[in-house]
Amino acid sequence: MSAPVQPARLLALCRKEAMQIVRDPSSILIAFVLPMVLLFIFGYGINLDANKVRIGVVLEDNGAGARRFADALAGSPYLEVRAGHDRAEMRARLAAGEVRGMVVIPADFSAKVVQGQGAAAAQLLTDGAEPNTANFLASYLQGAWQVWQAQRAQDRGQPPPAQPQLEPRYWFNPDTVSRNYLVPGSISVIMTIIGALLTSLVVAREWERGTMEALLSTPVTRAELLLSKILPYYLLGMAAMLVCVLAATLLMGVPLRGSWWLLFIVSSLFLGSALGLGLLLSTVTRNQFVAAQGALTAAFLPATMLSGFVFEINSMPPPVQAATYLVPARYFVSALQTLFQAGDIWPVLLLNTGWLLLSAGFWLGLTALKFRRRLDG
């Protein structure tokens, strides 16, 4: 049987680890400077909102109807219209990326409008290399077309054409600001980096500096040594989490509609997974460089690619969707986005909290099994 944990000895070991953290600039940079840099990159550098799209207009018809439709496009708050002389010129600007799409108003447009023919139409060509922008542009142009038809009917004293009326309501994110979606997800990626990267260095550093032999020669138990490597970095990670949440809510204006105590619980469980993974890599490799590279590969990449933060999980192939269930960040992203945008939605939070608890128990338990008080590993 293992010896019981001695609180005084554990406190002394935690104090030693805390002093190493304070004296090591890299730990402070990873815990506080790196999260703020990444948070501002995700919050301000990445924007999925296409609020102003550049579009070219080729006016092949100088009639009144064609000019009014071109004016309607120019008056749209979502379009930045660039005029072109002919299709060849505008196609070249589209290929060069100067515009994201082009509208061609054909020569018989005004004549068909005057005749009242339903065949009056304009052609839209979009840059399909960016599908999201292309879809946004098609929707904006459709809206401008409907507004122009309604305005034309009003000028002629006729009722507007009968069209289905859609009254959209956006729950949880009424302003449809992508930052409110991206920032909570980015916090999960940041916490993955902090937890895994910090602890991936601690045990390997002891072996490389030769201080592990001195620790093993003392009566320190395996449990005390393991806890002394986890508890200080857990507190450091929670402090970094608090800094990220305060920056998101106070500086970036991202709403936090959920409870702070639920945020504390899910963050603690996720940190358990991240810390356990990093400590396991540090214990197995005994090399700081290899452990850090392993932490970035095993923690950061899955958290970014397979968590649903950037890419929709339901759009992935079935085998990849199955693999996402093994990524703790998937559940942390869902919990954070729920707490920030929706509030305390218990069915969602309980499910994600349960999976995070299992994940934390698995990684910390596996680390405890691999952690040995032996020089030969």
PDB file of all heavy atoms in Angstrom, residues 227-264:
ATOM      1  N   LEU A 227       0.727  15.181  -7.239  1.00  0.00           N
ATOM      2  CA  LEU A 227      -0.155  16.301  -6.879  1.00  0.00           C
ATOM      3  C   LEU A 227       0.594  17.629  -6.903  1.00  0.00           C
ATOM      4  O   LEU A 227       0.025  18.663  -7.280  1.00  0.00           O
ATOM      5  CB  LEU A 227      -0.755  16.065  -5.496  1.00  0.00           C
ATOM      6  CG  LEU A 227      -1.832  14.986  -5.402  1.00  0.00           C
ATOM      7  CD1 LEU A 227      -2.240  14.758  -3.947  1.00  0.00           C
ATOM      8  CD2 LEU A 227      -3.055  15.383  -6.232  1.00  0.00           C
ATOM      9  N   SER A 228       1.857  17.614  -6.515  1.00  0.00           N
ATOM     10  CA  SER A 228       2.626  18.866  -6.522  1.00  0.00           C
ATOM     11  C   SER A 228       2.873  19.374  -7.934  1.00  0.00           C
ATOM     12  O   SER A 228       3.152  20.564  -8.123  1.00  0.00           O
ATOM     13  CB  SER A 228       3.964  18.655  -5.806  1.00  0.00           C
ATOM     14  OG  SER A 228       4.809  17.793  -6.561  1.00  0.00           O
ATOM     15  N   LYS A 229       2.801  18.478  -8.907  1.00  0.00           N
ATOM     16  CA  LYS A 229       2.956  18.902 -10.296  1.00  0.00           C
ATOM     17  C   LYS A 229       1.626  19.340 -10.916  1.00  0.00           C
ATOM     18  O   LYS A 229       1.626  19.989 -11.956  1.00  0.00           O
ATOM     19  CB  LYS A 229       3.530  17.751 -11.137  1.00  0.00           C
ATOM     20  CG  LYS A 229       4.890  17.251 -10.680  1.00  0.00           C
ATOM     21  CD  LYS A 229       5.941  18.328 -10.772  1.00  0.00           C
ATOM     22  CE  LYS A 229       7.304  17.785 -10.372  1.00  0.00           C
ATOM     23  NZ  LYS A 229       8.347  18.858 -10.376  1.00  0.00           N
ATOM     24  N   ILE A 230       0.512  18.981 -10.305  1.00  0.00           N
ATOM     25  CA  ILE A 230      -0.800  19.291 -10.867  1.00  0.00           C
ATOM     26  C   ILE A 230      -1.408  20.541 -10.240  1.00  0.00           C
ATOM     27  O   ILE A 230      -1.889  21.437 -10.955  1.00  0.00           O
ATOM     28  CB  ILE A 230      -1.749  18.087 -10.694  1.00  0.00           C
ATOM     29  CG1 ILE A 230      -1.281  16.916 -11.555  1.00  0.00           C
ATOM     30  CG2 ILE A 230      -3.181  18.466 -11.077  1.00  0.00           C
ATOM     31  CD1 ILE A 230      -2.120  15.670 -11.404  1.00  0.00           C
ATOM     32  N   LEU A 231      -1.401  20.610  -8.901  1.00  0.00           N
ATOM     33  CA  LEU A 231      -2.138  21.676  -8.213  1.00  0.00           C
ATOM     34  C   LEU A 231      -1.649  23.084  -8.581  1.00  0.00           C
ATOM     35  O   LEU A 231      -2.478  23.963  -8.871  1.00  0.00           O
ATOM     36  CB  LEU A 231      -2.059  21.463  -6.697  1.00  0.00           C
ATOM     37  CG  LEU A 231      -2.771  20.206  -6.169  1.00  0.00           C
ATOM     38  CD1 LEU A 231      -2.584  20.075  -4.660  1.00  0.00           C
ATOM     39  CD2 LEU A 231      -4.248  20.263  -6.522  1.00  0.00           C
ATOM     40  N   PRO A 232      -0.333  23.391  -8.577  1.00  0.00           N
ATOM     41  CA  PRO A 232       0.080  24.759  -8.945  1.00  0.00           C
ATOM     42  C   PRO A 232      -0.326  25.144 -10.364  1.00  0.00           C
ATOM     43  O   PRO A 232      -0.743  26.285 -10.611  1.00  0.00           O
ATOM     44  CB  PRO A 232       1.605  24.719  -8.779  1.00  0.00           C
ATOM     45  CG  PRO A 232       1.857  23.599  -7.840  1.00  0.00           C
ATOM     46  CD  PRO A 232       0.817  22.579  -8.158  1.00  0.00           C
ATOM     47  N   TYR A 233      -0.237  24.184 -11.278  1.00  0.00           N
ATOM     48  CA  TYR A 233      -0.579  24.508 -12.666  1.00  0.00           C
ATOM     49  C   TYR A 233      -2.089  24.546 -12.876  1.00  0.00           C
ATOM     50  O   TYR A 233      -2.573  25.205 -13.797  1.00  0.00           O
ATOM     51  CB  TYR A 233       0.084  23.502 -13.607  1.00  0.00           C
ATOM     52  CG  TYR A 233       1.580  23.701 -13.665  1.00  0.00           C
ATOM     53  CD1 TYR A 233       2.429  22.926 -12.884  1.00  0.00           C
ATOM     54  CD2 TYR A 233       2.135  24.692 -14.469  1.00  0.00           C
ATOM     55  CE1 TYR A 233       3.797  23.119 -12.922  1.00  0.00           C
ATOM     56  CE2 TYR A 233       3.500  24.897 -14.511  1.00  0.00           C
ATOM     57  CZ  TYR A 233       4.326  24.107 -13.729  1.00  0.00           C
ATOM     58  OH  TYR A 233       5.678  24.315 -13.763  1.00  0.00           O
ATOM     59  N   TYR A 234      -2.818  23.852 -12.025  1.00  0.00           N
ATOM     60  CA  TYR A 234      -4.278  23.998 -12.064  1.00  0.00           C
ATOM     61  C   TYR A 234      -4.668  25.424 -11.663  1.00  0.00           C
ATOM     62  O   TYR A 234      -5.500  26.065 -12.326  1.00  0.00           O
ATOM     63  CB  TYR A 234      -4.932  22.986 -11.128  1.00  0.00           C
ATOM     64  CG  TYR A 234      -6.382  23.298 -10.833  1.00  0.00           C
ATOM     65  CD1 TYR A 234      -7.373  23.044 -11.774  1.00  0.00           C
ATOM     66  CD2 TYR A 234      -6.746  23.887  -9.624  1.00  0.00           C
ATOM     67  CE1 TYR A 234      -8.704  23.350 -11.500  1.00  0.00           C
ATOM     68  CE2 TYR A 234      -8.069  24.195  -9.348  1.00  0.00           C
ATOM     69  CZ  TYR A 234      -9.034  23.924 -10.293  1.00  0.00           C
ATOM     70  OH  TYR A 234     -10.349  24.247 -10.023  1.00  0.00           O
ATOM     71  N   LEU A 235      -4.073  25.928 -10.586  1.00  0.00           N
ATOM     72  CA  LEU A 235      -4.360  27.308 -10.167  1.00  0.00           C
ATOM     73  C   LEU A 235      -3.923  28.303 -11.228  1.00  0.00           C
ATOM     74  O   LEU A 235      -4.617  29.295 -11.490  1.00  0.00           O
ATOM     75  CB  LEU A 235      -3.663  27.601  -8.832  1.00  0.00           C
ATOM     76  CG  LEU A 235      -4.132  26.761  -7.637  1.00  0.00           C
ATOM     77  CD1 LEU A 235      -3.297  27.102  -6.398  1.00  0.00           C
ATOM     78  CD2 LEU A 235      -5.610  26.996  -7.361  1.00  0.00           C
ATOM     79  N   LEU A 236      -2.770  28.043 -11.836  1.00  0.00           N
ATOM     80  CA  LEU A 236      -2.298  28.937 -12.901  1.00  0.00           C
ATOM     81  C   LEU A 236      -3.245  28.899 -14.093  1.00  0.00           C
ATOM     82  O   LEU A 236      -3.559  29.939 -14.690  1.00  0.00           O
ATOM     83  CB  LEU A 236      -0.890  28.514 -13.321  1.00  0.00           C
ATOM     84  CG  LEU A 236      -0.145  29.457 -14.273  1.00  0.00           C
ATOM     85  CD1 LEU A 236       0.095  30.802 -13.608  1.00  0.00           C
ATOM     86  CD2 LEU A 236       1.186  28.832 -14.692  1.00  0.00           C
ATOM     87  N   GLY A 237      -3.730  27.716 -14.453  1.00  0.00           N
ATOM     88  CA  GLY A 237      -4.670  27.603 -15.561  1.00  0.00           C
ATOM     89  C   GLY A 237      -5.992  28.279 -15.271  1.00  0.00           C
ATOM     90  O   GLY A 237      -6.579  28.922 -16.153  1.00  0.00           O
ATOM     91  N   MET A 238      -6.499  28.153 -14.045  1.00  0.00           N
ATOM     92  CA  MET A 238      -7.753  28.812 -13.694  1.00  0.00           C
ATOM     93  C   MET A 238      -7.591  30.329 -13.686  1.00  0.00           C
ATOM     94  O   MET A 238      -8.521  31.062 -14.046  1.00  0.00           O
ATOM     95  CB  MET A 238      -8.239  28.317 -12.341  1.00  0.00           C
ATOM     96  CG  MET A 238      -8.687  26.863 -12.334  1.00  0.00           C
ATOM     97  SD  MET A 238      -9.979  26.500 -13.549  1.00  0.00           S
ATOM     98  CE  MET A 238     -11.343  27.474 -12.885  1.00  0.00           C
ATOM     99  N   ALA A 239      -6.417  30.806 -13.269  1.00  0.00           N
ATOM    100  CA  ALA A 239      -6.171  32.254 -13.337  1.00  0.00           C
ATOM    101  C   ALA A 239      -6.164  32.727 -14.786  1.00  0.00           C
ATOM    102  O   ALA A 239      -6.722  33.787 -15.116  1.00  0.00           O
ATOM    103  CB  ALA A 239      -4.843  32.584 -12.659  1.00  0.00           C
ATOM    104  N   ALA A 240      -5.555  31.940 -15.673  1.00  0.00           N
ATOM    105  CA  ALA A 240      -5.559  32.288 -17.101  1.00  0.00           C
ATOM    106  C   ALA A 240      -6.977  32.245 -17.658  1.00  0.00           C
ATOM    107  O   ALA A 240      -7.356  33.083 -18.489  1.00  0.00           O
ATOM    108  CB  ALA A 240      -4.648  31.341 -17.868  1.00  0.00           C
ATOM    109  N   MET A 241      -7.774  31.276 -17.205  1.00  0.00           N
ATOM    110  CA  MET A 241      -9.164  31.190 -17.646  1.00  0.00           C
ATOM    111  C   MET A 241      -9.945  32.429 -17.220  1.00  0.00           C
ATOM    112  O   MET A 241     -10.734  32.987 -17.993  1.00  0.00           O
ATOM    113  CB  MET A 241      -9.800  29.921 -17.060  1.00  0.00           C
ATOM    114  CG  MET A 241     -11.259  29.729 -17.429  1.00  0.00           C
ATOM    115  SD  MET A 241     -11.451  29.340 -19.181  1.00  0.00           S
ATOM    116  CE  MET A 241     -13.237  29.344 -19.333  1.00  0.00           C
ATOM    117  N   LEU A 242      -9.717  32.878 -16.005  1.00  0.00           N
ATOM    118  CA  LEU A 242     -10.394  34.083 -15.527  1.00  0.00           C
ATOM    119  C   LEU A 242     -10.000  35.302 -16.351  1.00  0.00           C
ATOM    120  O   LEU A 242     -10.857  36.132 -16.707  1.00  0.00           O
ATOM    121  CB  LEU A 242     -10.057  34.307 -14.052  1.00  0.00           C
ATOM    122  CG  LEU A 242     -10.652  35.549 -13.392  1.00  0.00           C
ATOM    123  CD1 LEU A 242     -12.177  35.491 -13.408  1.00  0.00           C
ATOM    124  CD2 LEU A 242     -10.133  35.709 -11.970  1.00  0.00           C
ATOM    125  N   VAL A 243      -8.726  35.406 -16.688  1.00  0.00           N
ATOM    126  CA  VAL A 243      -8.264  36.526 -17.511  1.00  0.00           C
ATOM    127  C   VAL A 243      -8.937  36.492 -18.881  1.00  0.00           C
ATOM    128  O   VAL A 243      -9.382  37.526 -19.410  1.00  0.00           O
ATOM    129  CB  VAL A 243      -6.730  36.484 -17.642  1.00  0.00           C
ATOM    130  CG1 VAL A 243      -6.254  37.497 -18.679  1.00  0.00           C
ATOM    131  CG2 VAL A 243      -6.070  36.778 -16.300  1.00  0.00           C
ATOM    132  N   CYS A 244      -9.038  35.299 -19.472  1.00  0.00           N
ATOM    133  CA  CYS A 244      -9.676  35.174 -20.791  1.00  0.00           C
ATOM    134  C   CYS A 244     -11.150  35.555 -20.745  1.00  0.00           C
ATOM    135  O   CYS A 244     -11.651  36.253 -21.631  1.00  0.00           O
ATOM    136  CB  CYS A 244      -9.524  33.740 -21.307  1.00  0.00           C
ATOM    137  SG  CYS A 244      -7.852  33.277 -21.803  1.00  0.00           S
ATOM    138  N   VAL A 245     -11.855  35.103 -19.721  1.00  0.00           N
ATOM    139  CA  VAL A 245     -13.283  35.408 -19.616  1.00  0.00           C
ATOM    140  C   VAL A 245     -13.498  36.896 -19.393  1.00  0.00           C
ATOM    141  O   VAL A 245     -14.393  37.506 -19.999  1.00  0.00           O
ATOM    142  CB  VAL A 245     -13.920  34.579 -18.482  1.00  0.00           C
ATOM    143  CG1 VAL A 245     -15.359  35.009 -18.249  1.00  0.00           C
ATOM    144  CG2 VAL A 245     -13.874  33.097 -18.816  1.00  0.00           C
ATOM    145  N   LEU A 246     -12.693  37.516 -18.533  1.00  0.00           N
ATOM    146  CA  LEU A 246     -12.830  38.955 -18.291  1.00  0.00           C
ATOM    147  C   LEU A 246     -12.512  39.752 -19.561  1.00  0.00           C
ATOM    148  O   LEU A 246     -13.207  40.737 -19.865  1.00  0.00           O
ATOM    149  CB  LEU A 246     -11.913  39.381 -17.147  1.00  0.00           C
ATOM    150  CG  LEU A 246     -12.287  38.861 -15.754  1.00  0.00           C
ATOM    151  CD1 LEU A 246     -11.262  39.315 -14.726  1.00  0.00           C
ATOM    152  CD2 LEU A 246     -13.681  39.330 -15.350  1.00  0.00           C
ATOM    153  N   ALA A 247     -11.478  39.336 -20.299  1.00  0.00           N
ATOM    154  CA  ALA A 247     -11.153  40.034 -21.550  1.00  0.00           C
ATOM    155  C   ALA A 247     -12.272  39.877 -22.567  1.00  0.00           C
ATOM    156  O   ALA A 247     -12.619  40.823 -23.287  1.00  0.00           O
ATOM    157  CB  ALA A 247      -9.837  39.514 -22.109  1.00  0.00           C
ATOM    158  N   ALA A 248     -12.866  38.676 -22.631  1.00  0.00           N
ATOM    159  CA  ALA A 248     -13.935  38.435 -23.597  1.00  0.00           C
ATOM    160  C   ALA A 248     -15.172  39.259 -23.277  1.00  0.00           C
ATOM    161  O   ALA A 248     -15.805  39.827 -24.176  1.00  0.00           O
ATOM    162  CB  ALA A 248     -14.282  36.951 -23.637  1.00  0.00           C
ATOM    163  N   THR A 249     -15.530  39.332 -22.005  1.00  0.00           N
ATOM    164  CA  THR A 249     -16.766  40.027 -21.630  1.00  0.00           C
ATOM    165  C   THR A 249     -16.589  41.537 -21.532  1.00  0.00           C
ATOM    166  O   THR A 249     -17.464  42.298 -21.965  1.00  0.00           O
ATOM    167  CB  THR A 249     -17.286  39.469 -20.300  1.00  0.00           C
ATOM    168  OG1 THR A 249     -16.248  39.545 -19.302  1.00  0.00           O
ATOM    169  CG2 THR A 249     -17.710  38.025 -20.452  1.00  0.00           C
ATOM    170  N   LEU A 250     -15.476  41.984 -20.950  1.00  0.00           N
ATOM    171  CA  LEU A 250     -15.298  43.419 -20.697  1.00  0.00           C
ATOM    172  C   LEU A 250     -14.690  44.161 -21.889  1.00  0.00           C
ATOM    173  O   LEU A 250     -15.079  45.294 -22.178  1.00  0.00           O
ATOM    174  CB  LEU A 250     -14.425  43.627 -19.457  1.00  0.00           C
ATOM    175  CG  LEU A 250     -14.976  43.039 -18.150  1.00  0.00           C
ATOM    176  CD1 LEU A 250     -14.018  43.324 -16.997  1.00  0.00           C
ATOM    177  CD2 LEU A 250     -16.363  43.601 -17.839  1.00  0.00           C
ATOM    178  N   LEU A 251     -13.743  43.544 -22.574  1.00  0.00           N
ATOM    179  CA  LEU A 251     -13.065  44.233 -23.677  1.00  0.00           C
ATOM    180  C   LEU A 251     -13.736  43.975 -25.020  1.00  0.00           C
ATOM    181  O   LEU A 251     -13.816  44.885 -25.849  1.00  0.00           O
ATOM    182  CB  LEU A 251     -11.594  43.792 -23.739  1.00  0.00           C
ATOM    183  CG  LEU A 251     -10.733  44.126 -22.513  1.00  0.00           C
ATOM    184  CD1 LEU A 251      -9.303  43.655 -22.728  1.00  0.00           C
ATOM    185  CD2 LEU A 251     -10.764  45.615 -22.220  1.00  0.00           C
ATOM    186  N   MET A 252     -14.200  42.741 -25.238  1.00  0.00           N
ATOM    187  CA  MET A 252     -14.771  42.384 -26.537  1.00  0.00           C
ATOM    188  C   MET A 252     -16.291  42.418 -26.553  1.00  0.00           C
ATOM    189  O   MET A 252     -16.887  42.274 -27.628  1.00  0.00           O
ATOM    190  CB  MET A 252     -14.283  40.985 -26.945  1.00  0.00           C
ATOM    191  CG  MET A 252     -12.786  40.894 -27.063  1.00  0.00           C
ATOM    192  SD  MET A 252     -12.252  39.245 -27.599  1.00  0.00           S
ATOM    193  CE  MET A 252     -10.476  39.497 -27.631  1.00  0.00           C
ATOM    194  N   GLY A 253     -16.915  42.578 -25.414  1.00  0.00           N
ATOM    195  CA  GLY A 253     -18.371  42.682 -25.378  1.00  0.00           C
ATOM    196  C   GLY A 253     -19.110  41.390 -25.625  1.00  0.00           C
ATOM    197  O   GLY A 253     -20.291  41.412 -25.985  1.00  0.00           O
ATOM    198  N   VAL A 254     -18.452  40.244 -25.428  1.00  0.00           N
ATOM    199  CA  VAL A 254     -19.127  38.952 -25.602  1.00  0.00           C
ATOM    200  C   VAL A 254     -19.982  38.683 -24.363  1.00  0.00           C
ATOM    201  O   VAL A 254     -19.470  38.718 -23.245  1.00  0.00           O
ATOM    202  CB  VAL A 254     -18.103  37.820 -25.806  1.00  0.00           C
ATOM    203  CG1 VAL A 254     -18.807  36.478 -25.957  1.00  0.00           C
ATOM    204  CG2 VAL A 254     -17.237  38.107 -27.020  1.00  0.00           C
ATOM    205  N   PRO A 255     -21.272  38.429 -24.511  1.00  0.00           N
ATOM    206  CA  PRO A 255     -22.126  38.227 -23.332  1.00  0.00           C
ATOM    207  C   PRO A 255     -21.855  36.884 -22.669  1.00  0.00           C
ATOM    208  O   PRO A 255     -21.575  35.886 -23.336  1.00  0.00           O
ATOM    209  CB  PRO A 255     -23.545  38.286 -23.914  1.00  0.00           C
ATOM    210  CG  PRO A 255     -23.383  37.844 -25.333  1.00  0.00           C
ATOM    211  CD  PRO A 255     -22.032  38.340 -25.773  1.00  0.00           C
ATOM    212  N   LEU A 256     -21.938  36.863 -21.347  1.00  0.00           N
ATOM    213  CA  LEU A 256     -21.863  35.630 -20.567  1.00  0.00           C
ATOM    214  C   LEU A 256     -23.198  35.483 -19.846  1.00  0.00           C
ATOM    215  O   LEU A 256     -23.452  36.134 -18.841  1.00  0.00           O
ATOM    216  CB  LEU A 256     -20.710  35.676 -19.568  1.00  0.00           C
ATOM    217  CG  LEU A 256     -20.589  34.475 -18.618  1.00  0.00           C
ATOM    218  CD1 LEU A 256     -20.392  33.189 -19.402  1.00  0.00           C
ATOM    219  CD2 LEU A 256     -19.450  34.679 -17.628  1.00  0.00           C
ATOM    220  N   ARG A 257     -24.055  34.630 -20.381  1.00  0.00           N
ATOM    221  CA  ARG A 257     -25.413  34.491 -19.861  1.00  0.00           C
ATOM    222  C   ARG A 257     -25.546  33.354 -18.846  1.00  0.00           C
ATOM    223  O   ARG A 257     -26.585  33.228 -18.211  1.00  0.00           O
ATOM    224  CB  ARG A 257     -26.389  34.265 -21.018  1.00  0.00           C
ATOM    225  CG  ARG A 257     -26.422  35.426 -22.021  1.00  0.00           C
ATOM    226  CD  ARG A 257     -27.515  35.254 -23.069  1.00  0.00           C
ATOM    227  NE  ARG A 257     -27.630  36.438 -23.890  1.00  0.00           N
ATOM    228  CZ  ARG A 257     -27.041  36.604 -25.075  1.00  0.00           C
ATOM    229  NH1 ARG A 257     -26.280  35.635 -25.553  1.00  0.00           N
ATOM    230  NH2 ARG A 257     -27.199  37.718 -25.769  1.00  0.00           N
ATOM    231  N   GLY A 258     -24.537  32.515 -18.722  1.00  0.00           N
ATOM    232  CA  GLY A 258     -24.595  31.388 -17.810  1.00  0.00           C
ATOM    233  C   GLY A 258     -24.038  31.731 -16.439  1.00  0.00           C
ATOM    234  O   GLY A 258     -23.639  32.870 -16.158  1.00  0.00           O
ATOM    235  N   SER A 259     -24.004  30.738 -15.581  1.00  0.00           N
ATOM    236  CA  SER A 259     -23.547  30.909 -14.208  1.00  0.00           C
ATOM    237  C   SER A 259     -22.030  30.790 -14.126  1.00  0.00           C
ATOM    238  O   SER A 259     -21.415  29.962 -14.808  1.00  0.00           O
ATOM    239  CB  SER A 259     -24.183  29.855 -13.295  1.00  0.00           C
ATOM    240  OG  SER A 259     -25.592  29.905 -13.368  1.00  0.00           O
ATOM    241  N   TRP A 260     -21.445  31.594 -13.243  1.00  0.00           N
ATOM    242  CA  TRP A 260     -20.006  31.542 -13.044  1.00  0.00           C
ATOM    243  C   TRP A 260     -19.589  30.224 -12.414  1.00  0.00           C
ATOM    244  O   TRP A 260     -18.523  29.698 -12.727  1.00  0.00           O
ATOM    245  CB  TRP A 260     -19.556  32.720 -12.176  1.00  0.00           C
ATOM    246  CG  TRP A 260     -19.428  33.998 -12.941  1.00  0.00           C
ATOM    247  CD1 TRP A 260     -20.402  34.921 -13.177  1.00  0.00           C
ATOM    248  CD2 TRP A 260     -18.251  34.500 -13.589  1.00  0.00           C
ATOM    249  NE1 TRP A 260     -19.912  35.969 -13.928  1.00  0.00           N
ATOM    250  CE2 TRP A 260     -18.600  35.741 -14.181  1.00  0.00           C
ATOM    251  CE3 TRP A 260     -16.942  34.032 -13.710  1.00  0.00           C
ATOM    252  CZ2 TRP A 260     -17.675  36.508 -14.891  1.00  0.00           C
ATOM    253  CZ3 TRP A 260     -16.022  34.794 -14.413  1.00  0.00           C
ATOM    254  CH2 TRP A 260     -16.391  36.016 -15.001  1.00  0.00           C
ATOM    255  N   TRP A 261     -20.416  29.685 -11.525  1.00  0.00           N
ATOM    256  CA  TRP A 261     -20.023  28.450 -10.860  1.00  0.00           C
ATOM    257  C   TRP A 261     -20.050  27.269 -11.825  1.00  0.00           C
ATOM    258  O   TRP A 261     -19.226  26.361 -11.720  1.00  0.00           O
ATOM    259  CB  TRP A 261     -20.906  28.199  -9.641  1.00  0.00           C
ATOM    260  CG  TRP A 261     -22.348  27.908  -9.931  1.00  0.00           C
ATOM    261  CD1 TRP A 261     -23.352  28.804 -10.097  1.00  0.00           C
ATOM    262  CD2 TRP A 261     -22.937  26.608 -10.073  1.00  0.00           C
ATOM    263  NE1 TRP A 261     -24.540  28.158 -10.350  1.00  0.00           N
ATOM    264  CE2 TRP A 261     -24.323  26.818 -10.329  1.00  0.00           C
ATOM    265  CE3 TRP A 261     -22.452  25.309 -10.012  1.00  0.00           C
ATOM    266  CZ2 TRP A 261     -25.190  25.755 -10.533  1.00  0.00           C
ATOM    267  CZ3 TRP A 261     -23.333  24.255 -10.210  1.00  0.00           C
ATOM    268  CH2 TRP A 261     -24.685  24.490 -10.462  1.00  0.00           C
ATOM    269  N   LEU A 262     -20.970  27.282 -12.796  1.00  0.00           N
ATOM    270  CA  LEU A 262     -20.945  26.249 -13.823  1.00  0.00           C
ATOM    271  C   LEU A 262     -19.734  26.406 -14.732  1.00  0.00           C
ATOM    272  O   LEU A 262     -19.124  25.416 -15.152  1.00  0.00           O
ATOM    273  CB  LEU A 262     -22.227  26.296 -14.645  1.00  0.00           C
ATOM    274  CG  LEU A 262     -23.481  25.707 -13.997  1.00  0.00           C
ATOM    275  CD1 LEU A 262     -24.700  25.933 -14.878  1.00  0.00           C
ATOM    276  CD2 LEU A 262     -23.288  24.222 -13.735  1.00  0.00           C
ATOM    277  N   LEU A 263     -19.395  27.639 -15.032  1.00  0.00           N
ATOM    278  CA  LEU A 263     -18.188  27.892 -15.822  1.00  0.00           C
ATOM    279  C   LEU A 263     -16.959  27.389 -15.084  1.00  0.00           C
ATOM    280  O   LEU A 263     -16.041  26.817 -15.693  1.00  0.00           O
ATOM    281  CB  LEU A 263     -18.075  29.394 -16.112  1.00  0.00           C
ATOM    282  CG  LEU A 263     -16.869  29.850 -16.935  1.00  0.00           C
ATOM    283  CD1 LEU A 263     -16.904  29.235 -18.324  1.00  0.00           C
ATOM    284  CD2 LEU A 263     -16.818  31.369 -17.024  1.00  0.00           C
ATOM    285  N   PHE A 264     -16.927  27.573 -13.769  1.00  0.00           N
ATOM    286  CA  PHE A 264     -15.807  27.093 -12.964  1.00  0.00           C
ATOM    287  C   PHE A 264     -15.718  25.564 -13.006  1.00  0.00           C
ATOM    288  O   PHE A 264     -14.632  24.987 -13.127  1.00  0.00           O
ATOM    289  CB  PHE A 264     -15.973  27.583 -11.522  1.00  0.00           C
ATOM    290  CG  PHE A 264     -15.022  26.965 -10.547  1.00  0.00           C
ATOM    291  CD1 PHE A 264     -13.712  27.404 -10.468  1.00  0.00           C
ATOM    292  CD2 PHE A 264     -15.430  25.930  -9.712  1.00  0.00           C
ATOM    293  CE1 PHE A 264     -12.819  26.822  -9.566  1.00  0.00           C
ATOM    294  CE2 PHE A 264     -14.557  25.353  -8.817  1.00  0.00           C
ATOM    295  CZ  PHE A 264     -13.250  25.792  -8.744  1.00  0.00           C
TER     296      PHE A 264
END
